[in-house]
């Protein structure tokens, strides 16, 4: 059995039913030692950039480049996998899990949830904590 098959086999009803595979943007932004893996296409992050310098690093790696650029991602940090709608972030999540990344979750809600979490008042509170 391959690592990918083992990973998928471990994702049973309890795994998905408890929601342990996902995180909302606001909770992610409160995380210590986190990074974002933005798996959107280059054209997407050139159009709408997630500049989270007051929070943590963003790794812009299009999904189709992830296998060849996997070594750019830290294994010792929490990774939030992000894309515009959730499909690519799920694929990246499963791929990372199959490669031994234990602390990874799918960021829910795409752009809408991220923009809500980055409203001026919330950023202000974060900077002044």
């Amino acid at each position: 059995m391959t690592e990918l098959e083992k990973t998928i086999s471990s994702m049973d009803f309890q795994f998905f039913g408890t929601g342990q595979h996902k995180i909302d943007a606001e909770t992610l932004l409160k995380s210590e030692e986190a990074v974002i893996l933005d798996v959107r296409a280059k054209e997407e992050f050139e159009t709408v950039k997630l500049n989270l310098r007051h929070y943590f690093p963003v790794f812009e790696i299009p999904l189709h480049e992830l296998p060849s650029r996997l070594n750019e991602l830290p294994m010792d940090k929490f990774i939030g996998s992000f894309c515009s709608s959730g499909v690519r972030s799920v694929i990246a999540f499963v791929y990372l899990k199959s490669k031994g990344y234990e602390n990874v979750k799918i960021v829910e809600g795409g752009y809408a949830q991220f923009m809500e979490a980055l409203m001026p008042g919330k950023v202000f509170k974060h900077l002044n904590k």
Side-chain angles (χ1 to χ4, degrees):
M1 187 179 279
T2 68
E3 289 304 313
L4 180 59
E5 291 168 332
K6 289 178 191 173
T7 299
I8 292 171
S9 295
S10 72
M11 295 177 176
D12 59 10
F13 180 71
Q14 180 179 352
F15 178 83
F16 288 108
T18 58
Q20 58 187 292
H21 60 294
K22 57 189 175 180
I23 189 168
D24 64 86
E26 200 160 322
T27 302
L28 175 64
L29 291 171
K30 293 175 185 173
S31 300
E32 300 286 327
E33 299 293 318
V35 300
I36 291 282
L37 170 60
D38 185 346
V39 294
R40 296 175 297 149
K42 177 184 173 200
E43 295 81 3
E44 290 174 287
F45 43 74
E46 287 176 348
T47 303
V48 177
K49 191 161 194 69
L50 294 179
N51 185 345
L52 300 173
R53 82 176 99 207
H54 297 298
Y55 293 92
F56 37 67
V58 176
F59 291 83
E60 295 172 336
I61 303 175
L63 181 62
H64 69 280
E65 294 179 13
L66 188 55
S68 64
R69 296 178 59 191
L70 187 62
N71 63 335
E72 295 177 30
L73 293 174
M75 288 196 87
D76 62 340
K77 305 257 185 212
F78 174 79
I79 298 174
S81 179
F82 174 81
C83 74
S84 58
S85 67
V87 174
R88 291 168 288 181
S89 60
V90 169
I91 295 168
F93 165 79
V94 173
Y95 180 74
L96 290 176
K97 295 292 268 182
S98 76
K99 294 298 183 180
Y101 286 80
E102 294 296 322
N103 203 5
V104 59
K105 293 190 181 196
I106 301 158
V107 181
E108 295 182 284
Y111 294 123
Q113 196 176 95
F114 240 110
M115 294 309 112
E116 175 65 28
L118 293 171
M119 296 300 285
K122 293 177 182 179
V123 174
F124 179 79
K125 286 180 186 175
H126 173 77
L127 293 174
N128 291 291
K129 60 179 176 174

